[in-house]
Amino acid sequence: MEGLGVNGFWLDRPTFVTGGTGLVGGWLVRRLVEAGAEVVCLVRDWVPQSELVRSGLLDRVRVARGDVRDQAVLERILGEYEIDTVIHLAAQTIVGIANRNPVSTFETNVGGTWALLEAARRSPPVRQIVLASSDKAYGDQERLPYDETTPLNGRHPYDVSKSCADLIATAYAVTYDLPVAITRCGNFYGGGDLNGNRIVPGTVRSVIRGERPVVRSDGTFVRDYFYVEDGAAAYMLLAERLAADPALRGEAFNFSNEEERTVLDLIGKILARMSSHLVPEVRNEASNEIRRQVLSAEKARRVLGWKPLYGLDEGLDRTIAWYRAYFGGAEAA
């Protein structure tokens, strides 16, 4: 499998992960630990339900307490742990929260990015930085699918925060020759996401409880859904390729299964796989969200030799199995 460190790249490599308690972070840390990396996780809040904590992974890594916006803390971590590779995932990731609290979103997603990159610029041992942007950085575009030449055109708070962070990473690569590369992934789903406002965990939880799944939009919004373990593997692969080829500095890569699905289509697949006849409740309350997003991953396939490990069906099966185990007590009741 790509990105699992089978070539020894990650063995004993001092690796700094921000956002380790998030959805992708827990699965990324698992893969890094399995590959033999010496992982240091930045942790701001204690989240006992996170995959990082409940799986016991936290006991297998070094934990540095702090906020991603604190440049001095970041410089200390990079220096004291002699960090070689940085994977920056920490962000405020919920569109609704960004609409309600734009300043905190900008401070974390934009300010946190420049704090990390400036700290890395002042830390000579850092050799690779993978920065997680998003397909939202492209904003709303008429030409689809997005490729990496599509302008970054965010208009609403969350989208703008990702456009800005993405551009800041490019500025550090071009101006200071910082070894940073950028990922733009579709909508992540997978076990460990306990935010019930997101469509996959919300739907699975509703089915387990015998309640109708709630759709905040009109159900016709189109997204690229990307399995979380594929995302973790893609981040690791990009770090490996960046180490081998300095010309990748400043480059961005889309990662996607290249399947466009409406919200109602995805819910239908989940209901079918859980043998449920529940009918979704469509509320049509969503605002400031992009209606249609589809990514092209041709560049990642061509330049990095990347391909997804899981299709949508297999990813959903693995995700549903995780939630059945997690919600087992409620399901039995």
Side-chain angles (χ1 to χ4, degrees), residues 65-123:
R65 300 303 297 267
D67 193 302
V68 73
R69 298 170 298 175
D70 192 331
Q71 183 183 321
V73 167
L74 298 174
E75 285 190 40
R76 179 190 69 78
I77 294 168
L78 296 177
E80 289 187 6
Y81 291 102
E82 299 181 291
I83 297 298
D84 189 295
T85 302
V86 176
I87 303 180
H88 176 47
L89 308 180
Q92 194 298 101
T93 61
I94 308 300
V95 172
I97 292 174
N99 289 334
R100 293 191 301 271
N101 300 291
V103 172
S104 64
T105 299
F106 293 147
E107 287 177 341
T108 299
N109 296 5
V110 184
T113 295
W114 79 53
L116 177 72
L117 294 176
E118 181 65 13
R121 185 173 76 90
R122 297 165 178 264
S123 303

Side-chain angles (χ1 to χ4, degrees), residues 1-317:
M1 291 184 182
E2 294 284 9
L4 290 179
V6 293
N7 57 5
F9 177 86
W10 295 100
L11 187 62
D12 300 327
R13 179 173 292 266
T15 304
F16 181 45
V17 176
T18 72
T21 57
L23 170 59
V24 187
W27 295 101
L28 172 65
V29 171
R30 179 185 298 277
R31 283 180 173 267
L32 288 169
V33 168
E34 289 173 352
E38 295 182 358
V39 181
V40 180
C41 286
L42 179 71
V43 174
R44 184 191 67 178
D45 298 333
W46 178 252
V47 186
Q49 301 90 348
S50 69
E51 183 68 11
L52 183 69
V53 177
R54 65 184 299 273
S55 66
L57 282 168
L58 201 65
D59 296 330
R60 303 177 65 186
V61 303
R62 298 173 181 178
V63 177
R65 300 303 297 267
D67 193 302
V68 73
R69 298 170 298 175
D70 192 331
Q71 183 183 321
V73 167
L74 298 174
E75 285 190 40
R76 179 190 69 78
I77 294 168
L78 296 177
E80 289 187 6
Y81 291 102
E82 299 181 291
I83 297 298
D84 189 295
T85 302
V86 176
I87 303 180
H88 176 47
L89 308 180
Q92 194 298 101
T93 61
I94 308 300
V95 172
I97 292 174
N99 289 334
R100 293 191 301 271
N101 300 291
V103 172
S104 64
T105 299
F106 293 147
E107 287 177 341
T108 299
N109 296 5
V110 184
T113 295
W114 79 53
L116 177 72
L117 294 176
E118 181 65 13
R121 185 173 76 90
R122 297 165 178 264
S123 303
V126 174
R127 298 178 184 175
Q128 300 89 37
I129 306 162
V130 173
L131 183 137
S133 181
S134 167
D135 57 355
K136 307 300 182 295
Y138 292 118
D140 207 347
Q141 304 276 349
E142 292 185 7
R143 183 175 65 87
L144 294 173
Y146 306 142
D147 63 28
E148 291 81 358
T149 66
T150 302
L152 303 182
N153 194 37
R155 286 291 181 265
H156 302 298
Y158 179 74
D159 314 335
V160 167
S161 77
K162 285 300 186 179
S163 299
C164 290
D166 205 309
L167 288 167
I168 289 168
T170 302
Y172 270 84
V174 173
T175 306
Y176 305 111
D177 205 27
L178 200 68
V180 57
I182 302 155
T183 68
R184 298 171 186 156
C185 300
N187 278 34
F188 280 115
Y189 72 93
D193 185 358
L194 300 179
N195 188 315
N197 289 325
R198 287 201 182 106
I199 199 67
V200 174
T203 299
V204 176
R205 184 179 66 182
S206 293
V207 172
I208 288 174
R209 292 177 175 176
E211 301 169 349
R212 295 174 63 189
V214 171
V215 182
R216 293 183 301 107
S217 69
D218 63 8
T220 64
F221 283 42
V222 172
R223 292 289 183 268
D224 247 322
Y225 293 97
F226 193 48
Y227 183 52
V228 66
E229 291 191 68
D230 268 317
Y235 294 146
M236 291 174 66
L237 175 65
L238 182 53
E240 294 178 29
R241 297 293 188 263
L242 181 60
D245 185 0
L248 295 182
R249 295 182 179 195
E251 290 290 317
F253 293 90
N254 292 340
F255 293 99
S256 163
N257 285 72
E258 301 175 293
E259 293 184 39
E260 54 181 286
R261 300 280 179 174
T262 67
V263 171
L264 285 174
D265 182 24
L266 184 70
I267 290 176
K269 290 183 77 68
I270 294 171
L271 293 174
R273 304 188 96 73
M274 297 185 73
S275 302
S276 172
H277 299 289
L278 291 166
V279 177
E281 177 186 343
V282 180
R283 294 184 177 176
N284 198 16
E285 297 172 342
S287 62
N288 298 335
E289 293 196 23
I290 299 164
R291 179 159 289 276
R292 187 163 177 253
Q293 293 193 288
V294 187
L295 289 167
S296 166
E298 186 277 333
K299 180 180 177 182
R301 293 195 306 270
R302 171 172 47 84
V303 176
L304 305 177
W306 174 81
K307 62 181 179 180
L309 304 174
Y310 304 96
L312 180 60
D313 288 343
E314 187 177 0
L316 286 175
D317 286 341

